[in-house]
Amino acid sequence: MNMPDPVAVFRTEAAELFEQIESGLLDLTHRLNDKDQIDAVFRGLHTLKGSGAMFGFDALAAFTHHCETAFDRVRKGEKPATSELVAAVLAAQDHMRALVDRPTDDHGDIGEVLLARLRCAVEGDAQQPASVQPNPAVVVAEAPKSGSNTWRIRFSLPVNSMVNGTNPLGLLDELRDLGECKVLVNTSAVPSLDVLVPTDLHLSWDVTLTTDQPRSAIDDVFIFVLDDMQLDVETVTEVPVAEPVAAVSAPVPSTVAAPIPPVTMAVQAPVAAAATTERETAVSNADNRQAKAAENVRVPAERLDELMDRVGELVIAQSRLRQLASASMDIQLRSVSEEIERLSGELRDTMMVLRMVPVGSLFGRFRRLVHDLARETGKVIELVTEGETTEVDKTVIERLADPLVHLVRNSIDHGLETPEERRAAGKDEAGKVLLSARQAGGEVIITIKDDGRGINRDRVRAKAESSGLIQPGAVLSDQDLLQLIFAPGFSTAAQVTNLSGRGVGMDVVKKTVEALRGAIDVTSQTGEGSEVSLRIPLTLAIIDGLLVRVGTGRYVIPLSAVEECLELSLEEDLRSRGRSFISLRDSLVPFLRLRDLFRTGTKPDMHQKVVVISTGTERVGMVVDQIIGDHQTVIKSMSKLHHDVATFSGATILGDGSVALILDVAHLVAAGQQQEAQVRAAG
C-alpha cells in the first residue's frame, strides 16, 4: 500500500489553515476588537509556521514568523488591530501560498516589501531615528521590557514523536526566540546500540530560559504537543524592574537552595494556578481536536472519482441483470436481482452523498474578493450569503468557481454605484451583493443579486448592433436582449480596466454553465439592481431518468425536469398540426414532435404521449411514441466530435448494452419557447 506523500499532506493542511486565517482576518475587518478572532488568527499563523518548519518549508516558516509576532503583539494588547494590519497580513498570506506551492522559485524582493508594509501597519506612522532603524529581517520584533523572568523548563516527548512528524529542535528554536536559553540534554534513557531504534526518541531536555515574556508564551510553544508530552515549568527567580537585564544573564545553579522571599511566594502561587488552568485548557483543546480528527477521514478526490466510476459500472450491470431476470421464469433469479438492485441503489445514494459538498465552501472564497475590490474601487460593499448548507456535487463546485468570480466582479464593477452616486439616488452608501443557493428538485439554483443601477438595455442593444450580433431594429424579448451580455467579446464598459472591459468574463460563464447542462436566467430593474440565476444539476454522475422511445430510438429525459405525462391521440395530433399547442389546466403549453425533430422517418404510434418538462417558469411538451419507464442513468460524456450537438447533453448505456442519448432539457425548452414566439408573431 502506498504511503501518502508527507509534503502533499502538508500542502492540504496548509490550504485549510490559509482558509481559517483568511476567514479570521476578514471577520476582523468588521470587529477589530474581537479577541477571539485575534487569537484564532494567531493560532493559525503559529501552526502554519511550526508545520512549515517541520516539513522543510524554512522560507515559509521564517516569513510567517513575522506575521505571527505582529499578531502576538496585538493579542497582548501592545498594539491595536487596524484595517491596515489586516490588509498587510492578507497580502502576506498570498506570498505564503506561493511559498507553499513553489518553494524553490525565486520570489524576488516580494517578501521584503510585504514585511516593510507589515512593519508600517504595526508601528503606525511614527518615524524612527536612523540610528535605530530595524533590520528588515526582524521588522516586527518586539521591544524589550524593563523586567525579565527566569524559567526552568523540563520536557520530554513520546518515543514515536519523530515518526509522527514532531521535531524537538523546532520547539527549542521557538524557546530561543523568547529570550536567552541554556539547554541541557538528558541522555540517560538512551538504550544501547544493539537495541536502539534510530527513529525512536529517548532524549529529554532541561532548559533555563530568561525572557520578558509571560508564562503563556512558553505554553504556546508546546500547545500542539501538550497532550502527549511531559512538561514541567517553574519560576527560578524574578528580577526587580530596577536591575539591569544583564544581571540575570547567567543561569541560576540548580543546587542553590536559598529561601524564597515572601513576596516571591505571593506571586508564584497565582502563576502556578494560572499555569495549571492554561495547561488544562490546552489539553481540553487538544482532546477536542483529536475527537474531531477521529470523526473525519481525509480521502483524495481521485479515489472518490474512481469509486464513482465503479458504482456507475455496477448500476449498468445491475440494469442488465434486471432485464435478464424479467425475461426469466426463475423465481430465485428474480429474487437475487431485486436484492442486488436494492443494494446497488443504496450504494449509489451513499456514494452521491460522499461527493456532495456544501456550497458555503464556494461562497467563502468571495469574502476576500469583495474585500479587495472594495479597497480597489473605493466602493462600500456588503456581501450577504444565504443557503450555504445547500449541497452540490464536488465537480460542480470546482467548475463553478471561475464563473461566479466573473459574475461577482461584474456586479461590483457595472452594477454597484459609488457612495456619492448612491447618496444622490437616495440609497445607502453600502451596496449589497447577495450570493444565495437553494435546491429545487434535481437542480441547485445559485443567484447573484445586487442593488445597483441595473442593466442599461439601450447600451446593450447599441453595443449588440454595432458588433453585428443583431440587426438594427430587430425585435427581441427582454430575456433575449439581456442574454446578449453573454455573447463572446461583448462588453458595455467605456474603457478597459483591471476589472472589466475585454468582454471575456461573461462568455466564460455561459460556456461553463452550458457544459454543466445548466441554464442562466437574468432579470434587471433600472435603478434597483440585477439578478443572475444559475440553474445547475446537483450531480454530473448518476441521475434518475425517464426512458422513452421515439421511432426506433430510445432516449432519456432527466426525471427532475419532468412535470407530468399526458396521452396524445392520433386525432388530437392531426388537429394540432400547424399550431403545436396543448391546453393544460387553462394554459397553452407549446410542444415539440421529437419524431420530426430527430427525423426518424417512422409513422407515429396510435397512442402517443406528451412529456411536459420545465426549467423554472418555462414549460414545454415533448411528443414521444412510448414511455418505457424510469431508469438509473449513468451519464457518459459525448465525444469531441459531437460537442456542437446541442439537443443532447450526454449518453448512457442501457441494460441490453445499447446506447440511449440524454436530452438537453434547457435547449429543448428554449426551442419550444422560440417556436411559440414564432407562432404568436405569425398570428
Side-chain angles (χ1 to χ4, degrees), residues 633-644:
T633 305
V634 180
I635 301 174
K636 303 292 184 180
S637 301
M638 304 282 282
S639 71
K640 294 183 178 179
L641 296 176
H642 303 91
H643 72 279
D644 57 344

Side-chain angles (χ1 to χ4, degrees), residues 126-148:
Q127 297 295 326
Q128 299 186 16
S131 60
V132 293
Q133 283 297 322
N135 187 324
V138 289
V139 290
V140 292
E142 296 189 41
K145 295 180 180 179
S146 56
S148 298

Side-chain angles (χ1 to χ4, degrees), residues 273-574:
T276 302
T277 302
E278 291 171 356
R279 181 178 299 187
E280 290 174 353
T281 303
V283 170
S284 176
N285 292 338
D287 291 341
N288 292 337
R289 289 196 301 272
Q290 286 186 339
K292 185 176 181 180
E295 295 171 0
N296 299 280
V297 178
R298 183 177 288 111
V299 178
E302 294 79 7
R303 294 187 183 180
L304 286 180
D305 293 337
E306 292 175 3
L307 184 57
M308 189 72 250
D309 291 339
R310 300 298 182 272
V311 172
E313 296 301 325
L314 177 62
V315 169
I316 294 174
Q318 178 270 322
S319 178
R320 174 65 174 163
L321 176 61
R322 181 178 63 176
Q323 184 170 340
L324 292 174
S326 62
S328 172
M329 300 300 295
D330 191 334
I331 301 300
Q332 292 184 346
L333 177 61
R334 291 188 176 184
S335 176
V336 171
S337 174
E338 292 174 357
E339 182 67 12
I340 292 179
E341 182 176 357
R342 180 184 65 82
L343 293 175
S344 65
E346 293 176 355
L347 180 60
R348 180 202 66 167
D349 295 340
T350 302
M351 189 62 228
M352 298 303 297
V353 171
L354 288 178
R355 290 173 58 94
M356 291 296 177
V357 179
V359 77
S361 63
L362 177 62
F363 286 178
R365 306 178 190 180
F366 295 98
R367 299 180 62 198
R368 171 70 183 280
L369 175 66
V370 171
H371 173 271
D372 292 345
L373 291 180
R375 294 178 65 91
E376 182 177 344
T377 61
K379 298 178 180 179
V380 182
I381 308 170
E382 178 185 357
L383 176 65
V384 180
T385 58
E386 295 177 355
E388 296 94 330
T389 57
T390 304
E391 293 187 333
V392 190
D393 190 289
K394 72 175 187 66
T395 305
V396 176
I397 289 286
E398 293 166 359
R399 295 171 66 177
L400 277 180
D402 286 344
L404 287 181
V405 167
H406 289 300
L407 290 172
V408 171
R409 290 169 68 95
N410 194 71
S411 290
I412 292 174
D413 187 37
H414 292 287
L416 297 184
E417 311 94 333
T418 63
E420 295 77 14
E421 292 172 335
R422 293 183 65 85
R423 283 196 300 269
K427 300 180 178 180
D428 294 336
E429 285 190 2
K432 180 182 292 185
V433 176
L434 171 67
L435 276 175
S436 65
R438 60 183 178 88
Q439 185 176 341
E443 293 182 324
V444 61
I445 302 175
I446 299 178
T447 302
I448 302 91
K449 182 178 181 181
D450 65 74
D451 62 349
R453 58 174 64 92
I455 298 176
N456 189 323
R457 291 168 172 76
D458 293 336
R459 290 181 62 184
V460 171
R461 174 177 284 277
K463 181 65 177 181
E465 292 178 353
S466 64
S467 302
L469 295 175
I470 59 174
Q471 295 297 323
V475 178
L476 297 175
S477 66
D478 187 63
Q479 187 61 219
D480 290 339
L481 179 64
L482 294 177
Q483 289 287 335
L484 291 174
I485 65 176
F486 298 103
F490 188 92
S491 176
T492 59
Q495 60 184 0
V496 176
T497 66
N498 291 335
L499 293 182
S500 61
R502 302 187 184 275
V504 294
M506 304 302 277
D507 181 28
V508 170
V509 173
K510 183 177 181 180
K511 288 182 178 179
T512 304
V513 172
E514 289 180 346
L516 292 171
R517 307 194 320 274
I520 306 175
D521 299 325
V522 184
T523 59
S524 180
Q525 297 292 331
T526 303
E528 298 181 10
S530 304
E531 180 176 325
V532 179
S533 297
L534 310 181
R535 308 178 66 88
I536 307 294
L538 282 174
T539 178
L540 304 178
I542 300 177
I543 62 172
D544 289 323
L546 185 67
L547 187 62
V548 300
R549 178 179 61 82
V550 180
T552 58
R554 287 176 289 181
Y555 304 89
V556 175
I557 304 171
L559 197 59
S560 60
V562 177
E563 284 197 354
E564 57 185 301
C565 300
L566 309 171
E567 184 171 336
L568 182 69
S569 65
L570 182 60
E571 294 77 10
E572 291 176 336
D573 184 25
L574 294 174

Side-chain angles (χ1 to χ4, degrees), residues 77-106:
E78 298 175 11
K79 293 291 181 180
T82 63
S83 57
E84 290 75 15
L85 175 61
V86 172
V89 178
L90 281 172
Q93 184 185 242
D94 295 336
H95 182 57
M96 296 177 202
R97 292 180 189 270
L99 292 175
V100 171
D101 296 335
R102 304 181 302 277
T104 60
D105 287 3
D106 181 10

Side-chain angles (χ1 to χ4, degrees), residues 594-673:
L594 295 185
R595 188 187 325 102
D596 297 338
L597 185 63
F598 299 158
R599 300 177 184 177
T600 62
T602 59
K603 294 183 178 180
D605 282 17
M606 290 295 295
H607 302 285
Q608 301 176 83
K609 304 296 187 295
V610 179
V611 180
V612 180
I613 60 175
S614 67
T615 57
T617 59
E618 307 293 340
R619 294 190 299 174
V620 167
M622 293 187 297
V623 179
V624 301
D625 288 323
Q626 181 187 2
I627 296 176
I628 300 176
D630 65 307
H631 183 267
Q632 289 188 5
T633 305
V634 180
I635 301 174
K636 303 292 184 180
S637 301
M638 304 282 282
S639 71
K640 294 183 178 179
L641 296 176
H642 303 91
H643 72 279
D644 57 344
V645 181
T647 308
F648 308 109
S649 59
T652 188
I653 301 175
L654 301 178
D656 59 1
S658 61
V659 175
L661 296 175
I662 303 171
L663 299 182
D664 188 329
V665 172
H667 175 79
L668 291 173
V669 169
Q673 295 298 322

